[in-house]
Each structure stands twice: as C-alpha cells, then as structure tokens.
Amino acid sequence: MSEPRKLYVRSFGCQMNVYDAQRMTDTLAKEGYVETDTAEDADLVILNTCHIREKAAEKVYSELGRLRKSQEEAGRRQMVAVAGCVAQAEGAEIIKRARTVDLVVGPQSYHKLPELIAQAEQRGHNRRAGIVETEFPVEDKFDFLAHPTRAAIAKRGPTAFVTVQEGCDKFCTFCVVPYTRGAEVSRPLDKILDEVIRLADGGVREVTLIGQNVNAYHGLDVAGRTVGLPELVRRIAEVPGIARVRYTTSHPRDMDDELIAAHRDMPALMPYLHLPVQSGSNRILAAMNRKHDRELFFEIVDKVRAARPDIAFSSDFIVGFPGETDEDFADTMDLVERVGFASAFSFKYSSRPGTPAAGMDGQLPEDVKSARIYALQALLDKQKAAFDAACRGRRFDILLEKPGRFPGQLIGRSPYLQSVVVEAPREAIGRLASVVVREVSTKSLSGDIIGGEFFAGDAGVGVHSVRQSEKVEA
Ligand code: 5AD
Ligand code: SF4
C-alpha cells in the first residue's frame, strides 16, 4: 500500500476560515490525505487566507516566501494551494506574484479541491500554468463537502463552529466581505440540524453558529417556510447532547425583538453577544454606511440587558476611518464608556482596494490612527480587566475543553468565553463543571469545581440544571 499523502492547512482570519479549513480537511481525508502539523512535512499545503485588512492579506505572501525557501533548502516540491478571501480577491495575480502556488481556490469553490488538485498534478507542477477557480458556482458547496468522521470530531474537542449563513448584503464602505464572500445566503434548517446531530454524536457540547451576518439568517425548513435565527437556535438547543449555543457575527440592524427575547427564554443561548459597532460617531457611521446610529446601538444594548441581565457585550471598532475627527473619535470613546464591554477587537482603518472608502477624501496619517487605537485599546483593556475581576467569587458552569499546562489541570470556558483553569481528570473533557472562580489574571481565571455533570453518578451529585452563571452567596 502507498503511503498516505500528508496535508497541512493553515488558516488566517476569522472563524469561518477555521470552519472552512476543517471542511477542506474532511473532504481531502476521503481522498486519502492525513493531517500533519508542519508545512515542511506536507505533500499538500493549503493557506486559507484573509483579505479583511492589508496586514492580514500580506501575511500570505510572507508565508509563501517562507515555503519557497524551505522547499529550495529541502530540494523538495510540494503542492501549494491558496484558498479563502485573498484567493477570491486576487485570483491569478497570486500565481504571478508567487510562483510556488499551483492552485488558487475561492471560498465558494473549495468543494472542488479533489478535482482541482488532480488537474494541478496533471500539469506536472508547471508553475506557469497554475489553476485558478474563483467562480461563484450555482451548486451549493455544502452538498459536496464530506462530513467529519467521529474520530475527527472527537479530536477537535467539545466545541464546534457551524456555518449557517455566508456573505453580506450590507456593503459597509470599508469592507471587502460583500465582494469576497458574495451575497447573503442562508443554509437550509434541516441541513444545519443534520450537521449538529452528527457533531453531538461525536461528543460536541457547544455549537457556535457562524456567518458574516449571522442574525440576518433566514433559511428554509423542509416545508419551505422561512426560519429566522431564534428558531434555528431553539432547534439546535433541542439536539440531545448540545448544552450551549452561541452565534457570531451580528449586525445591530438585524437584532430584532424576537432574537432579543430568545436571550431571555433560552438558557442554552450563552449570555455573551458580539455586536460590532465600529464607531460611536453618527457622522462616521453614516460615512461607513452602517445603517444604524449610536442611539439605535444604545437602544439594542438596553433591550438585550433588560431581557438577559447577566449578558456581556463584545464588539469591533475601527479607528481612523477617512475624515474621522478628534470629536468623532471622542464619540467612540464615549460610547465605550457608556456601554462597558467585556472584551473587544479594535483595528486601525485599512484601505482596501475596490471598496468605496478607499477613494474617500480625508485618509488619515498612520500616527493619528496609532494614537487613537492606543487610547481606545487602553480603555477596552481596562473594561475587560474590570469585568474579569468582577467574576471572582462567582459560580459558573464551565465547559471543560482540553488539558491545561500542568498535569491534573483542565481548561474550560465560562459562558463569557473566558478561559478557566481547574483541577480535573482528562475524562472530564466535554463535561460541564460547576466552578467557583478563585483567581483572576490577565490571561485566564482559575477556580474550584463544586459540582456539575462531572460528578453525575459519583458522589450522588446530580447533573446541573441551574442557569449557567450566578453569584454565589457568601
Ligand atoms: N479596516 C480595518 N478594519 C476592518 N474591518 C473590516 N474591514 C476593515 C478595514 N478595511 C474590521 C471590522 C469588522 C472586523 C471583522 O474587521 O471591525 O467588524
Ligand atoms: Fe463587512 Fe459590514 Fe457586512 Fe460586516 S456588515 S461583513 S463589516 S459589509
């Protein structure tokens, strides 16, 4: 029998790329590829790329340069594929710029990888004749992708991403997503449920529903009825074994009352909402074509907090958008002060080719962007530290995910996605433990298990059914 071929996939960027990388791996596993941890060791290297900011896109080329060098040093030829959003945006340019690349495949075409690889092999590594596949095909790629085996699911641990929606129709003026991922498309309800049932069967306890605009989800059910995100979440929470559901990323405009009510009514829906606002200035929000103002954002935050008082917010911010004045930036700082975030991502505006903002007047110098991001991140870090510190003494259900740094330790996640270190045996991975937080540091929390599923059937302590977070009475 011939040696199995080795595959190395490296993902950059967002969670959807993590999911896509897994589906590529599953599809190629059926073709006899096994995963390896290093690029040097692989027969096929796939770089699953991100185009959202210039820095992310440039990483691909430095990685390709590194690969070329290591191939030359080892005197070995590997097949190299570039997938993801840079592939979609730059297509054949990639092969012109980096001759190591045999194959360029966009995010809507990666189900064709087996046949594209076969074609590339036939071309006998003629680097001038690389293959480019960046069409938006009529068929649904999900119908052609292989499912992960139970062993693959178990290896990936008790949490999983599931793409439920892709693409975006919002056209924020700074963003490449509507061009790289295309128009909004929602997967049908039964196909998503089928995927979640398989994952749960393989030991998955927590599912994060992902989409560029996930709260705009509107998939069809088997009866041809359109179903929104609240019903999708409810149906997923009913799947035996699934204990927690999350969704990301949302747009404030699509945060409707039914979805807000779901946060009140569904304990499995984690009390943590990532809701990008981008700016606190109405003038900049309008120039960004965000379709919401700061008042609407405050209104949503208030409504969600009224529905689920223990909810915590996270967000995305861009500083230095064209024309942003000191007053506009002060509005962003003020919004952050007023809302209070448990965590956040913030970025300097990066001009992206082909987007409307790239051609706007008032592009700002790097030093202005740097000063603003520094100030914003200092405030966000302070808020995060305060949120974490307030968790000391609280009791949470922690989903135990993986071994910790030291023997006898496991790391789990709180409802707020904080890492929590506890003492527990390996067999407890995949269980919910009831934990009282003892210590808080910048990187993680640590705590003591006081009960939970881990103890079911042991010392007579039953499976927990309380809400996932509560203040422990002294
Ligand atoms: N420059 C900087 N940040 C950007 N984002 C999207 N496009 C840009 C850009 N051109 C950020 C937004 C978005 C997150 C995924 O990336 O904050 O929510
Ligand atoms: Fe990009 Fe705006 Fe769509 Fe988010 S909502 S993916 S920022 S265009």
Side-chain angles (χ1 to χ4, degrees), residues 399-405 409-413 419-422:
L399 178 58
L400 301 169
E401 286 184 14
K402 57 183 182 192
R405 190 134 61 100
Q409 282 186 344
L410 294 184
I411 299 177
R413 295 277 194 160
S419 289
V420 184
V421 182
V422 295

Side-chain angles (χ1 to χ4, degrees), residues 14 51-54 173-177 249 274 276-278 290 315-319 345-352 355 357:
C14 68
H51 199 242
I52 199 99
R53 284 170 292 278
E54 194 180 351
T173 52
F174 52 79
C175 186
V176 289
V177 165
T249 287
H274 182 65
V277 63
Q278 315 296 1
R290 283 290 293 173
S315 197
D316 289 344
F317 297 88
I318 295 177
V319 301
F345 300 96
S346 47
F347 312 99
K348 293 186 213 174
Y349 168 72
S350 166
S351 174
R352 306 308 291 129
T355 58

Side-chain angles (χ1 to χ4, degrees), residues 378-391:
L379 176 58
L380 290 167
D381 285 350
K382 202 175 83 182
Q383 292 192 341
K384 181 182 183 318
F387 181 83
D388 288 345
C391 290

Side-chain angles (χ1 to χ4, degrees), residues 178-194:
Y179 314 100
T180 55
R181 291 274 173 174
E184 252 179 37
V185 178
S186 296
R187 293 179 68 195
L189 175 77
D190 60 315
K191 301 241 169 100
I192 298 167
L193 276 177
D194 189 51

